[in-house]
Amino acid sequence: MLKRKAESLEPFSFNYTSYMRTTSKTWRNVAIASVIILILAVVIMTVVIVILIQSQSQANSSDPSPTAQPPEEDGEDIPGCFPSDALVKTRSRWKTIQELHIGDEVLDLDERGRPVYTEIFAWLRKDMLGHSFVKITTADGISLTLTPNHLIFKLIPDCTTPDNRTVQLSDYEAVLAGEIQKGDVLLQLDDAWNGARHATVTEIHNIRSRGAFAPATLSGTLIVDGTLVSSYTSYWFFDFIGHRFVHEIIFAPLRFFYAFFKLVVKHQPTVDALFSPTYGGTHWYVEIWKPFRSAIS
C-alpha cells in the first residue's frame, strides 16, 4: 500500500528555464506598457503645448509692447511684482526689469552671500497699469520698490549681524515686504558688486507706480535695485509653507518643463510665448493653481 502511494507521488522539479522565460515575458509586458503610457503622455503634453502656444501667440499679437505708453487707468492691487523701472543686473549691464527676457541671466546671491547669476525661466506677471507699492530705503541710501505682498529677505531677529565675510543666507527669512519695519536688516550688494552686505532699513513709504513685472528665476531669488528678493509672493500660500517649499516643490514642475522644452525646442520665440503671460495678465501656471488656492483660502 505504501509502495503504491509513494509511486503515485510525482517528484518536485524546478524548471529554471521556464521560470526565466515567464519572468522575462512579464517584465517585457511591463516595459511595453510603460512605453505606451510614456508615448501617450508625450502626445497629450504636445497637444497641450500646441494649444497653449497658439493661444499665447494670438493674445500676444494684439498686446501692447512693454515699451508702449502705459494706460491711464489703474489696475488691481495684485500681489508680488516690481514696477517697470526697477533695476536688475545682467551679465552685460544694468537693465530695467521690463527690458528683460526669458533666458536672460541676472545677478543673484548664493547661500554664502557671493554674487552669482541665475536664469529667468518665466514671467509670472506683466502689465503696465498703476499699482500700490512699498518703497523701502536703507541707511546706504538704496531704495527698493515692490508690492507689499512680495517676499523679501530680512535678518532673523535672533541672529547677530555678522561681518560681510561670513554672510549666510540661512540667517535670513523670507517675509512680506509690507511687514518690513524700520530697523530691519536686509541683504544688499556691496559697492563693488563682489559681495553682500547688511543694510538697515531707515525709511518706508507707500507709493503708486506703473507696471507689474514678476520674473521667476531658476534659483528662486534675484537682486532687484541692489537688494536680494524672492521670485515669489504671498499668493503661493506663504502663510502655510514659505518661500523654500514654493520654490522647490510647487514650481519644480514648471522648471523641469522649461528645461525639457528649452532642450527640445530651439525656437526662442516659442519658448517666450509658452513661459510668458499675455501682456497684462498672469502666467498660465499661476492660473492652474487658482482653484486649489481658492479652495483652501
Side-chain angles (χ1 to χ4, degrees):
M1 178 71 66
L2 292 176
K3 184 177 180 180
R4 291 179 179 177
K5 189 173 183 180
E7 289 176 351
S8 65
L9 295 175
E10 296 182 0
F12 172 78
S13 63
F14 176 74
N15 192 326
Y16 180 78
T17 302
S18 177
Y19 170 78
M20 290 301 297
R21 186 181 298 114
T22 303
T23 304
S24 299
K25 185 177 181 180
T26 301
W27 281 109
R28 185 168 60 251
N29 292 337
V30 171
I32 293 173
S34 300
V35 171
I36 293 174
I37 293 173
L38 180 60
I39 292 174
L40 289 175
V42 171
V43 170
I44 293 173
M45 185 174 67
T46 303
V47 172
V48 172
I49 289 173
V50 171
I51 294 174
L52 287 172
I53 291 174
Q54 289 178 345
S55 62
Q56 289 281 26
S57 299
Q58 292 173 358
N60 288 337
S61 63
S62 60
D63 286 333
S65 65
T67 57
Q69 290 295 323
E72 294 299 324
E73 70 273 11
D74 286 345
E76 57 179 331
D77 291 329
I78 59 171
C81 295
F82 303 94
S84 60
D85 58 354
L87 293 177
V88 179
K89 176 71 169 61
T90 65
R91 288 190 179 274
S92 59
R93 62 183 178 88
W94 286 90
K95 294 182 179 181
T96 60
I97 200 166
Q98 67 173 337
E99 295 179 278
L100 298 176
H101 298 89
I102 290 176
D104 284 351
E105 292 186 331
V106 296
L107 195 60
D108 191 15
L109 294 176
D110 66 9
E111 292 293 330
R112 298 182 62 183
R114 297 171 299 193
V116 293
Y117 283 88
T118 183
E119 184 176 346
I120 295 176
F121 74 93
W123 285 103
L124 304 183
R125 176 78 187 190
K126 269 187 176 184
D127 75 47
M128 283 296 291
L129 300 175
H131 298 284
S132 296
F133 293 90
V134 57
K135 183 177 181 180
I136 302 171
T137 305
T138 62
D140 299 312
I142 297 177
S143 295
L144 168 69
T145 302
L146 68 172
T147 50
N149 287 337
H150 202 96
L151 298 181
I152 185 174
F153 295 93
K154 77 166 186 176
L155 188 68
I156 298 173
D158 294 337
C159 294
T160 57
T161 305
D163 60 45
N164 290 341
R165 293 172 298 175
T166 58
V167 167
Q168 297 290 335
L169 196 56
S170 58
D171 293 335
Y172 284 75
E173 61 180 346
V175 300
L176 302 179
E179 296 177 352
I180 293 294
Q181 300 177 359
K182 292 181 180 180
D184 286 341
V185 178
L186 309 181
L187 198 54
Q188 294 182 336
L189 283 176
D190 61 19
D191 293 332
W193 304 347
N194 59 7
R197 67 181 177 192
H198 308 278
T200 303
V201 176
T202 56
E203 297 180 25
I204 301 174
H205 300 285
N206 295 319
I207 65 171
R208 297 286 295 182
S209 189
R210 293 286 179 182
F213 292 80
T217 66
L218 293 179
S219 65
T221 57
L222 70 159
I223 297 290
V224 177
D225 289 335
T227 305
L228 183 68
V229 297
S230 169
S231 293
Y232 309 114
T233 78
S234 63
Y235 178 90
W236 299 101
F237 326 113
F238 173 70
D239 294 337
F240 301 94
I241 55 181
H243 162 84
R244 186 173 294 276
F245 186 91
V246 170
H247 177 66
E248 296 181 355
I249 304 299
I250 292 182
F251 271 85
L254 188 62
R255 290 198 306 276
F256 174 80
F257 188 36
Y258 172 76
F260 170 79
F261 203 78
K262 185 179 178 182
L263 180 65
V264 174
V265 179
K266 305 297 183 181
H267 190 236
Q268 188 61 37
T270 302
V271 177
D272 290 343
L274 187 57
F275 291 90
S276 296
T278 57
Y279 202 78
T282 54
H283 193 276
W284 57 265
Y285 192 75
V286 177
E287 297 292 337
I288 288 175
W289 279 89
K290 276 187 175 180
F292 178 73
R293 180 180 182 273
S294 300
I296 67 172
S297 59

